[in-house]
Amino acid sequence: MALLHCPSSCFALPCNPKSLSITSCNSRSNIITFSSLLSTSTSPHSLSSSTNLIQSAFPKGGLSMTGIAKSMRRLVVCEATTPGKKPDSAQKRARQAEKRRIYNKSKKSEIKTRMKKVFEALDLLVKKNGAEASEILGVEKLIGEAYSSIDKAVKSGTLHRNTGARRKSRLARRKKAVEIHHGWYTPTTVSA
């Protein structure tokens, strides 16, 4: 009787094994013995009838077993995998995606916060009756900080460039509306 262990790799069995023991990768207590599974007197299809036994021993893709039918008759290839485990490259991609998601989330949150501060400052200026033109300088500083954070997010790929342009335009339009409201800016009409 031969004991074979599948450490998440492939192995090939000899052509005529008398008995086969397979142990699970996770627990060494699950040893399944298939005595005389591939004897010389049985048909070449006797391995396919044992698939149900193997699937009950290794549930949910713990072991995949295929026969090779060309020149190497009755050769069995088994591959043991842990269910739900990703390959190393997929794990790395998942780690990178999570890192980018957190970074992008913080940048977007920063942009929203800066835009909200600008809108609140502009709303206060609209509600204020005797507002001076010099009071817009504080708002312009906030707008500059918002523009900077938007440009950085576009440069790093967090925001699409059109989205960044739309948000900057939204800030500029709101500022211009406040200036027009107080009479600090009069739009020029183009005569045709």
Side-chain angles (χ1 to χ4, degrees):
M1 174 156 68
L3 178 67
L4 298 174
H5 180 63
C6 301
S8 183
S9 63
C10 292
F11 66 88
L13 299 176
C15 290
N16 291 322
K18 296 296 179 190
S19 65
L20 171 66
S21 294
I22 301 175
T23 177
S24 172
C25 293
N26 294 332
S27 63
R28 297 209 181 254
S29 61
N30 277 350
I31 297 176
I32 311 299
T33 305
F34 302 100
S35 300
S36 302
L37 208 126
L38 297 174
S39 65
T40 55
S41 62
T42 58
S43 69
H45 301 290
S46 64
L47 182 62
S48 63
S49 65
S50 65
T51 306
N52 293 335
L53 292 173
I54 292 173
Q55 287 177 350
S56 65
F58 297 95
K60 295 186 181 177
L63 180 76
S64 62
M65 196 163 170
T66 57
I68 299 175
K70 291 190 179 180
S71 63
M72 299 181 291
R73 293 197 185 268
R74 296 162 67 138
L75 184 67
V76 179
V77 177
C78 296
E79 182 178 350
T81 58
T82 307
K85 184 179 177 193
K86 299 177 183 176
D88 292 340
S89 60
Q91 287 177 343
K92 184 176 179 182
R93 282 289 186 185
R95 286 194 307 269
Q96 288 174 337
E98 182 65 17
K99 199 183 243 185
R100 280 194 301 268
R101 185 188 70 81
I102 292 169
Y103 175 80
N104 292 342
K105 185 178 177 183
S106 69
K107 288 296 177 187
K108 287 179 182 180
S109 176
E110 178 188 358
I111 291 169
K112 288 177 188 174
T113 303
R114 291 189 186 276
M115 288 181 69
K116 186 176 177 182
K117 285 182 181 180
V118 170
F119 292 145
E120 287 173 354
L122 288 172
D123 287 342
L124 286 175
L125 273 177
V126 166
K127 292 176 183 175
K128 194 172 182 182
N129 286 333
E132 296 289 324
S134 61
E135 292 180 34
I136 200 80
L137 295 177
V139 175
E140 285 178 349
K141 183 179 177 185
L142 291 174
I143 290 175
E145 292 172 357
Y147 278 13
S148 176
S149 63
I150 290 170
D151 289 337
K152 286 178 186 175
V154 168
K155 185 178 180 182
S156 68
T158 302
L159 287 181
H160 192 272
R161 63 176 183 236
N162 292 354
T163 304
R166 189 176 65 246
R167 292 191 180 175
K168 286 165 52 172
S169 172
R170 186 177 169 201
L171 292 169
R173 279 185 288 131
R174 185 73 74 91
K175 178 189 161 211
K176 185 145 312 214
V178 171
E179 289 176 335
I180 290 172
H181 174 74
H182 284 292
W184 302 328
Y185 175 80
T186 51
T188 58
T189 56
V190 179
S191 57

